[in-house]
Amino acid sequence: MKSFKKINLKTNMLYFFVFLLFFQGCQAQDKKNEKDIEEIQKNASGYIDKVSYSGNVDFKLAAKIATPGVVNIKSTFKTKMQQYENEDQNDFYDLPDYFKDFFKNDPYFKQFKFEPNYDSEPVIGGASGVILTPDGYIVTNNHVVKDADDIDVTLYNGKSYKAKIIGTDPQTDLALIKIDEKNLSFIAFGDSDNIEVGEWVVAVGNPFNLASTVTAGIVSAKTRNLNILRDQGAIESFIQTDAVMNPGNSGGALVTLDGKLIGINTAIATPTGVYAGYAFAIPVDIVKKVTNDLMNFGSVSRGFLGISIRDMDSKIAKEINIDRANGVYVDSVAANGAAKEAGVKAKDVIISIDNIETTTSAKLQEIVLRKRPGDKVKITLIRNGNEKKELIATLKKQEAIPKSIKPESAELLKDLGVELVPISKEDQKKYKVENGLKVTKLYNGKLKKNTNIKEGFVITAVNSKAVSSVNSFIEAVKTKRGGIMLEGKYAGDPTLYYYAFGM
């Protein structure tokens, strides 16, 4: 189904592929009386309220505090072939053939399930998790436990337990599981908002089944959006670090030098399948919100602004005559959304939410993610070049995938790696088109791999057939096997662009 051009591995290593550190996982619910994990932490025996840290670079304290709070997770998948029948379950399978061949005959890598196992034995994979409360609530990645038939948790002291899934959140790749035990060591929450680029951090996990491994590095960047999560509406705002991580680190802890949790390790960027200098963690401020919702309700309740956004750049700044090249540019505003009701308009530049600076779209999404429907947020924006405004928006419930889109159609969009919305009347004027679908998000899929299409592109036709709804787009693609030609325009550019790819 896929074809790739051969690239000389010795001379061209510029292609970095991001993939989850393990494979995808399941969903369940176990509703509780509402409580707060952070309060449980603070009230628990042994809570570390103040830690004496001299400012010297010494990793011993962080390792001593964090290591007992990280567990080894073994997930068993009895339906073994399911992992390989659906290629987008693991980004490893989207690597070019020459990378797959590089590992194919290596028994060391086969034990970590990079290659399909066709025998009768179940698939067992190793990963990590972080204890959040002394009574056994543990956070890990959704891709670690999704679809698992059995989950075993081993503590730092060697004791093992069966775990049950409380809930999962594919949009952030987080899951909450629980074991039946008390008086457990746990890791106290830190503050990922205030962590700074260049600050030392420590990663704890179980790479390659090497239990309780500690590595160190610095925060290399914040609010990274890698487009690797495939669930519709996925939210990415990763902390990037150069602390060494490998398959098996998924779900492990990223902590400060005083042992406070600032992230859950999730992915690495690499041309080989093992560490190459880039690792990514979900910020703890997202973890707090998601795990509390999962513990109390079994699912995550999200606030929704109802805007289509992208990062500012110099080109946009010049077009709208604004003296800054960072911030979040509003492409369009949903008719019945919270932002529209608050007075947000297309071409506004949002510079902060609740006084937290939003230099990127990922940061804005991260802040809003922490809120629930009905919460009010203060939006600070710039309009018409220099006019600064402060607006109050009451968040609404996040919109679901339209029911009119059948499951098989949703799968086709996932295969393409695209999210689409019909254009608004404002878009019709801005793009100078009468019909079309706007590309609001691209993630790993056929479009991203085989074309140079960008977010914000409006698709007006598929193989010369006009499209105006998601369903019409799906029908046009489904009825044509082989070559697909997309036609459309970018905002402010009269040129017609064509993108071709194969099905």
Side-chain angles (χ1 to χ4, degrees):
M1 190 168 69
K2 300 180 180 177
S3 61
F4 298 90
K5 295 180 180 179
K6 294 288 183 181
I7 300 175
N8 189 324
L9 187 61
K10 293 182 179 179
T11 59
N12 191 339
M13 294 300 288
L14 297 178
Y15 291 86
F16 275 71
F17 299 88
V18 179
F19 72 103
L20 300 175
L21 296 179
F22 184 51
F23 36 78
Q24 311 285 322
C26 92
Q27 186 160 1
Q29 292 189 1
D30 184 18
K31 294 188 178 180
K32 304 285 179 186
N33 293 327
E34 186 166 358
K35 49 188 175 181
D36 189 280
I37 287 176
E38 196 165 13
E39 285 301 310
I40 295 173
Q41 285 195 343
K42 289 179 180 179
N43 294 329
S45 174
Y47 174 74
I48 302 170
D49 188 31
K50 294 183 180 179
V51 176
S52 176
Y53 170 56
S54 65
N56 296 323
V57 180
D58 187 343
F59 308 114
K60 294 192 294 293
L61 178 63
K64 184 177 181 180
I65 293 172
T67 303
V70 175
V71 302
N72 196 335
I73 296 176
K74 299 290 186 186
S75 297
T76 301
F77 302 85
K78 295 176 182 177
T79 316
K80 54 191 175 306
M81 287 311 300
Q82 184 175 350
Q83 302 301 321
Y84 311 106
E85 288 169 356
N86 186 357
E87 291 190 35
D88 66 14
Q89 293 285 323
N90 185 330
D91 287 313
F92 178 82
Y93 299 104
D94 291 330
L95 294 179
D97 291 336
Y98 60 86
F99 276 136
K100 292 181 184 178
D101 293 341
F102 187 73
F103 296 110
K104 183 168 61 177
N105 297 316
D106 189 332
Y108 179 71
F109 284 98
K110 280 188 177 180
Q111 67 177 310
F112 298 107
K113 309 308 174 189
F114 288 147
E115 285 295 313
N117 182 356
Y118 293 95
D119 60 30
S120 59
E121 295 299 317
V123 172
I124 301 176
S128 307
V130 176
I131 301 173
L132 298 182
T133 67
D135 60 343
Y137 283 96
I138 297 167
V139 64
T140 186
N141 289 133
N142 174 58
H143 73 263
V144 168
V145 298
K146 182 183 176 186
D147 296 331
D149 296 288
D150 198 42
I151 302 170
D152 290 286
V153 169
T154 302
L155 303 182
Y156 177 66
N157 61 14
K159 291 184 178 180
S160 294
Y161 304 81
K162 294 293 182 184
K164 63 179 180 179
I165 297 175
I166 302 302
T168 65
D169 183 42
Q171 288 183 256
T172 56
D173 193 29
L174 288 170
L176 188 68
I177 64 176
K178 190 178 188 306
I179 60 174
D180 188 14
E181 187 54 279
K182 296 180 179 179
N183 301 319
L184 296 172
S185 297
F186 62 92
I187 305 180
F189 287 140
D191 184 351
S192 53
D193 268 346
N194 291 326
I195 193 81
E196 296 184 15
V197 173
E199 190 169 334
W200 282 103
V201 288
V202 171
V204 185
N206 306 284
F208 299 136
N209 289 323
L210 299 172
S212 304
T213 298
V214 177
T215 58
I218 63 168
V219 174
S220 304
K222 295 175 66 176
T223 66
R224 287 290 196 212
N225 187 337
L226 307 175
N227 290 321
I228 60 172
L229 300 183
R230 302 195 171 206
D231 192 81
Q232 175 139 349
I235 298 163
E236 298 182 12
S237 184
F238 294 120
I239 298 170
Q240 180 181 328
T241 176
D242 63 355
V244 177
M245 297 185 211
N246 277 297
N249 270 110
S250 265
L254 188 70
V255 302
T256 57
L257 291 186
D258 57 1
K260 297 292 181 67
L261 185 71
I262 59 160
I264 297 299
N265 301 321
T266 297
I268 58 177
T270 169
T272 63
V274 292
Y275 177 77
Y278 303 90
F280 303 91
I282 301 166
V284 75
D285 289 302
I286 291 178
V287 176
K288 292 177 188 178
K289 154 71 172 160
V290 171
T291 54
N292 274 319
D293 276 9
L294 292 178
M295 182 173 69
N296 292 306
F297 313 116
S299 61
V300 180
S301 177
R302 289 188 173 86
F304 193 66
L305 268 177
I307 52 177
S308 176
I309 56 177
R310 54 178 157 146
D311 291 346
M312 276 286 293
D313 57 29
S314 297
K315 182 179 179 181
I316 298 174
K318 185 176 181 181
E319 288 175 359
I320 63 175
N321 192 30
I322 186 174
D323 190 24
R324 61 182 293 155
N326 63 7
V328 179
Y329 179 76
V330 179
D331 265 318
S332 61
V333 183
N336 299 313
K340 180 81 170 180
E341 293 178 1
V344 178
K345 298 180 179 180
K347 296 186 178 181
D348 284 346
V349 178
I350 299 174
I351 58 175
S352 73
I353 300 285
D354 286 343
N355 298 320
I356 303 173
E357 190 176 10
T358 55
T359 56
T360 65
S361 300
K363 187 60 182 179
L364 185 149
Q365 290 176 317
E366 177 190 336
I367 297 168
V368 175
L369 166 67
R370 305 175 202 168
K371 309 291 184 179
R372 292 181 177 174
D375 287 351
K376 296 183 184 297
V377 296
K378 182 173 75 172
I379 303 172
T380 305
L381 57 82
I382 297 175
R383 180 179 295 166
N384 298 329
N386 298 309
E387 183 183 355
K388 190 173 181 179
K389 284 184 168 291
E390 289 186 353
L391 305 173
I392 302 297
T394 302
L395 299 177
K396 297 192 174 184
K397 187 176 181 180
Q398 185 182 25
E399 298 173 353
I401 300 173
K403 293 183 179 179
S404 57
I405 299 179
K406 298 178 181 179
E408 59 268 26
S409 299
E411 285 300 316
L412 186 146
L413 293 176
K414 286 180 69 176
D415 187 39
L416 294 177
V418 66
E419 290 182 17
L420 302 168
V421 296
I423 59 172
S424 64
K425 290 184 179 180
E426 292 175 351
D427 287 331
Q428 288 177 333
K429 296 177 182 178
K430 183 163 58 172
Y431 287 81
K432 293 183 170 54
V433 295
E434 295 181 358
N435 63 279
L437 296 165
K438 182 185 287 186
V439 176
T440 57
K441 184 171 182 179
L442 288 167
Y443 44 93
N444 289 340
K446 290 183 177 177
L447 286 182
K448 190 173 181 181
K449 291 176 185 176
N450 301 315
T451 75
N452 293 320
I453 195 169
K454 305 295 183 187
E455 292 179 5
F457 182 71
V458 166
I459 301 169
T460 56
V462 176
N463 289 337
S464 300
K465 183 178 180 179
V467 292
S468 57
S469 68
V470 175
N471 284 331
S472 66
F473 171 85
I474 289 169
E475 287 303 314
V477 173
K478 283 171 59 177
T479 55
K480 176 69 175 178
R481 290 296 168 182
I484 303 291
M485 179 73 77
L486 304 182
E487 176 184 328
K489 298 177 71 177
Y490 289 98
D493 189 341
T495 308
L496 271 176
Y497 287 83
Y498 298 86
Y499 295 105
F501 62 96
M503 290 298 290

